[in-house]
Amino acid sequence: GLSNFFASSQFGSAMHAFLCYIQEVVSFLRRSTSLQLPFKIEKDKVGGFSVKGSHFDQDRWTKALKFMLLDLKYLIAVVESRDFASSRS
């Protein structure tokens, strides 16, 4: 079923890669400001919950994705609050 799709190792690897991308964005932004995400990202975990579904627990996985989305929302707000256009010229 659908839960098998989300629990697949390929999907888990893709989610982990996406977290790595978020960490790259955070590293870039930290060059010019002290940035602290609401939920810490470590390896394949956000706020202590894994985005991989090896032993699929829907509640924990859902919480990990919720925390990831909240971190993304925070990053968008930080970027929108800065004037990147003037710093590039």
Side-chain angles (χ1 to χ4, degrees):
L2 191 57
S3 63
N4 288 336
F5 170 75
F6 292 120
S8 76
S9 63
Q10 289 179 340
F11 186 80
S13 295
M15 292 301 296
H16 181 227
F18 189 68
L19 282 182
C20 290
Y21 167 74
I22 293 172
Q23 287 178 309
E24 296 249 348
V25 172
V26 169
S27 294
F28 174 78
L29 292 174
R30 282 187 177 150
R31 290 187 217 167
S32 59
T33 184
S34 61
L35 178 69
Q36 185 69 31
L37 290 176
F39 300 96
K40 188 174 184 179
I41 297 175
E42 290 183 300
K43 298 183 181 177
D44 68 335
K45 295 183 174 146
V46 183
F49 296 95
S50 178
V51 296
K52 288 187 170 185
S54 58
H55 296 98
F56 199 69
D57 180 346
Q58 274 189 319
D59 293 333
R60 296 178 64 79
W61 182 76
T62 301
K63 194 169 278 195
L65 294 188
K66 176 183 175 182
F67 291 167
M68 180 186 70
L69 290 173
L70 289 170
D71 279 350
L72 282 172
K73 182 179 177 180
Y74 178 78
L75 282 173
I76 290 168
V78 167
V79 170
E80 285 183 342
S81 70
R82 300 173 53 105
D83 186 10
F84 284 107
S86 65
S87 66
R88 285 191 274 178
S89 44

